Amino acid sequence: MAEASRAYQEFFIEYLSVKGLLRLSEASMLKGEIERFTRLSTMNPLTKEEWEKIRRYLEKDELTLEEALELRRLARKVTDEYGDRIEAWKLHIYASIMVGWALRRKLEEEGKLEGGG
């Protein structure tokens, strides 16, 4: 059930981001809560290096598509372990927004975004 919910969340948030309906400023409001959550990095299946990657990605205002996809892969691991914590899902939402915006930039660069938004 959690996997189906996560897949739906990813699709919906990416779609809204690609369409320009979710802005990066809206994603930034999630960062504070996510950063507090990453302090749990002492006892979990993520390595110290993976938590550091998450922190580095959160410090950036813009991610490449590859970085955004990596952040979401890590966010999935976080939801697998901490699915009972709302902060895990906020990280996943943030990562999905970043994927959507990275896709939007790529489509804009390729001239494939219809209607300019």
Side-chain angles (χ1 to χ4, degrees):
M1 184 66 162
E3 189 172 334
S5 176
R6 186 171 59 199
Y8 171 75
Q9 179 174 288
E10 287 176 8
F11 166 77
F12 187 65
I13 291 168
E14 282 177 34
Y15 177 78
L16 293 175
S17 298
V18 168
K19 287 303 209 176
L21 298 172
L22 285 177
R23 304 204 187 312
L24 290 176
S25 60
E26 294 163 329
S28 69
M29 71 180 200
L30 299 169
K31 279 187 177 182
E33 301 228 6
I34 295 165
E35 288 167 354
R36 283 192 293 277
F37 181 67
T38 61
R39 294 186 188 118
L40 293 174
S41 62
T42 57
M43 302 181 319
N44 59 68
L46 278 81
T47 65
K48 182 178 178 181
E49 292 78 21
E50 289 173 321
W51 281 109
E52 287 302 317
K53 251 187 198 179
I54 290 171
R55 286 187 188 101
R56 280 195 310 272
Y57 290 147
L58 291 175
E59 290 172 357
K60 297 175 97 176
D61 292 329
E62 194 172 288
L63 299 177
T64 66
L65 181 55
E66 293 76 23
E67 290 170 331
L69 291 169
E70 173 68 3
L71 176 60
R72 190 170 63 196
R73 184 190 69 76
L74 294 169
R76 288 174 179 160
K77 285 182 78 170
V78 171
T79 60
D80 286 345
E81 181 65 19
Y82 297 107
D84 61 327
R85 302 282 305 262
I86 190 67
E87 297 91 342
W89 293 99
K90 287 179 181 181
L91 173 60
H92 187 257
I93 291 169
Y94 178 81
S96 294
I97 290 171
M98 298 308 281
V99 170
W101 273 95
L103 285 169
R104 180 180 176 84
R105 278 192 310 278
K106 183 176 180 179
L107 290 172
E108 286 174 343
E109 289 169 6
E110 295 172 355
K112 295 180 180 178
L113 190 64
E114 293 182 22

